[in-house]
Amino acid sequence: MTSLSDLPIRDDLRGKTPYGAPQKVVPVALNVNENTHPVPADVAADIVARVAAAITTVNRYPDREFTELRESLSKYLGHGLNAENLWAANGSNEVIQQILQAFGGPGRSLLGFDPTYSMYPLLAAGTGTAWISGERDADYELTPRTAVAEIRRHDPDIVILCAPNNPTGTPLSIETIEAAYDAARGIVVVDEAYAEFMPDGHPSALTLLPGRPRLLVSRTMSKAFAFAGARVGYLAADPAAVDALRLVRLPYHLSALTQAAANAALAHSDEMLAMVGEIRDQRDRLVRELSRLGYRPYRSGSNFVLFGGVDDPRATFEALLAQGILIRVVGISGHLRVTAGTEAETTAFLDALAALGRPASAGSAVTAGAATLPVGSQS
């Protein structure tokens, strides 16, 4: 049988492995930061009706510019944005890939701040863009001073900031984003996939867009909108940056069915986002209870919690999996990550973890965790 190594793939792709989290059918899946709440029945009915209508014209290509969707997204985001400021693709990963195709490539570089979203270096590799790993501050924070120092040290063509950061959940201040933009000579991408889970009133990078044509803000409908299976990501930027993405996008890259489903969901945005408050509550509950159990949860503005103080992450992962609970090994020594699910799912995880016994470093972990309550904690 032919193996991958037998094929004439690019030299820079040899030895690499594709992205992938474990896909297992379990009662409680809390490993990939999905919104585990179902789409409300009335919203689902409207989505089905609009997709059914779109089916009648699938013999024709869809609107190449997905005009209605861009208008819907601009209304949802506000901030004085219009359709010319918006772009969309099949998930925010494709949005970021298109950014790298347009502004990266051979001879150019992308700077991120590890640990961060593991797709960034993979997307860089796929586009021939050099990946540069920048440093963070203690507890996975990123201050303006550190961000600027790393940008000046490496002089990248593109900087990507994950806000809040994945897999750590760490919020990113607007001051850090502003400082990074001022220090960078090229494109600055702010990945706000989890922005809706930040506390009300926390400023988005969208507020910085006016007068900053090199700033691109990426978002997704996968998380807060419970739309992971629909694959809809989008971006807000200066119209010139949007035009740059047109140069590399595939023709008719968003299907008529995708456009119809996304427009229906956005028409019910208030109802779709009603579950965000409950998810925040469960996230904050995870922080409190993980600390009580002797682990070290980190500050989180997302829908998940990274926690340290785990003596053997793989063994803990397997023990929970044996009970039908799937969480995430993220490759950080002594740490695991868990998504904030429904109240019942969160209870099942916490009860199962408690039954495994306290971590070996319980005493020190409790002390460290006392200073790591999440942003917007509703205790």
Side-chain angles (χ1 to χ4, degrees), residues 85-152:
N85 297 110
L86 271 295
W87 188 250
N90 296 284
S92 57
N93 287 330
E94 186 176 56
V95 171
I96 296 168
Q97 181 183 57
Q98 291 173 344
I99 293 170
L100 293 176
Q101 288 174 313
F103 298 105
R108 297 193 176 191
S109 58
L110 169 66
L111 170 67
F113 297 85
D114 279 325
T116 193
Y117 183 35
S118 58
M119 272 302 298
Y120 297 156
L122 292 177
L123 290 168
T127 57
T129 308
W131 168 255
I132 300 172
S133 177
E135 296 182 359
R136 288 182 172 270
D137 296 285
D139 292 338
Y140 308 118
E141 301 285 340
L142 184 60
T143 62
R145 180 176 180 178
T146 296
V148 169
E150 291 295 281
I151 291 169
R152 289 176 176 167

Side-chain angles (χ1 to χ4, degrees), residues 128-195:
T129 308
W131 168 255
I132 300 172
S133 177
E135 296 182 359
R136 288 182 172 270
D137 296 285
D139 292 338
Y140 308 118
E141 301 285 340
L142 184 60
T143 62
R145 180 176 180 178
T146 296
V148 169
E150 291 295 281
I151 291 169
R152 289 176 176 167
R153 175 186 172 195
H154 296 289
D155 188 30
D157 296 280
I158 308 170
V159 177
I160 191 159
L161 303 166
C162 196
N165 187 49
N166 181 13
T168 65
T170 317
L172 190 67
S173 73
I174 204 74
E175 291 79 14
T176 297
I177 297 170
E178 198 168 13
Y181 184 89
D182 291 342
R185 62 175 171 80
I187 296 296
V188 175
V189 183
V190 182
D191 182 354
E192 290 193 336
Y194 300 93

Side-chain angles (χ1 to χ4, degrees), residues 3 10 16 24-25 52 91-92 122 165 180 228 274 281 286 290 323 369:
S3 69
R10 288 171 13 204
K16 296 185 180 298
K24 298 179 182 295
V25 179
S92 57
L122 292 177
N165 187 49
D281 288 345
L286 282 169
L290 285 166
Q323 299 183 60

